Amino acid sequence: MPTIGESFGVDAERYDRKRPVYPGALVADVVTRSPGREVLDVGCGTGIAARQFQAAGCTVLGVEPDERMARFARGTGVDVEVSTFEDWTPGERRFDAVIAAQAWHWVDPAAGVAKAAQVLRPGGTLAVFWHAFVPPAEVNDALAAAYERAVPDPPFDLRQVKTHGYQPLADKAAGDIRAAGGFATPEHRRYEWDQRYTRDEWLALTSTTGAFTHLPPEQAAAVLDEVAAVVEDEFTVHYSTLAVTASRAAG
């Protein structure tokens, strides 16, 4: 069975199709505060964020350790090099922004911040961000109960509101950046938005999350089938996109 970090590329096309894009305001904020438009996307996955920055007029290079995800991203027009960020060799290349969308928690914190400082131009922006989504309580409770029945000693507590799950990651990222030096004081930003889902759309999204991608397909399908039998046909999911940004110090 693949580890959680290795499991997202099992069905890269589904991952790309079902994962939500990032708020346009976040993309605009990063572009506006950066000295230019050359962007390095760390853990770019299938290129969801990379394509948004391309659409905003940026030139984007992705670094992605999963060859399957990288292959898909290349097929959508994103230039990708296969490597972990820690082991990636930038040479003399420098960037105006380093971003990590839903990926920074897979990067060694000390090595990651140091590498970002190395490849950013003075005044360049490090921006790391995560989606935190909160389905209606009855939907989340049904999912958690089915998951707990199917998975003994589950690695995830799905009863925890997902916003709470990602806030510690954002706080830790800010602390790591402060501790490393070479950056201005990190800033926290939160982008709030809602998205309407049908039952099938939401279950398809859920199947791309770490709680499910590492399960055997039959086990994951059984959990989602159980949930499908009890949740409403359509409902609204609230998102908070949590971002930490910091500017590289001059000199």
Side-chain angles (χ1 to χ4, degrees), residues 159-186:
R159 295 184 188 278
Q160 295 296 315
V161 178
K162 292 182 181 293
T163 302
H164 296 168
Y166 281 108
Q167 188 63 58
L169 294 180
D171 293 341
K172 183 178 185 306
D176 292 336
I177 294 167
R178 282 193 295 269
F183 286 91
T185 302

Side-chain angles (χ1 to χ4, degrees), residues 8 18 24 36 39 49 65 86 90-91 94 113 129 133 153 185 224 226 251:
F8 296 110
K18 296 302 182 183
V39 175
E86 299 91 328
R94 296 295 180 266
V113 176
F129 41 94
F133 61 91
D153 191 25
T185 302
L224 295 174
E226 184 176 341

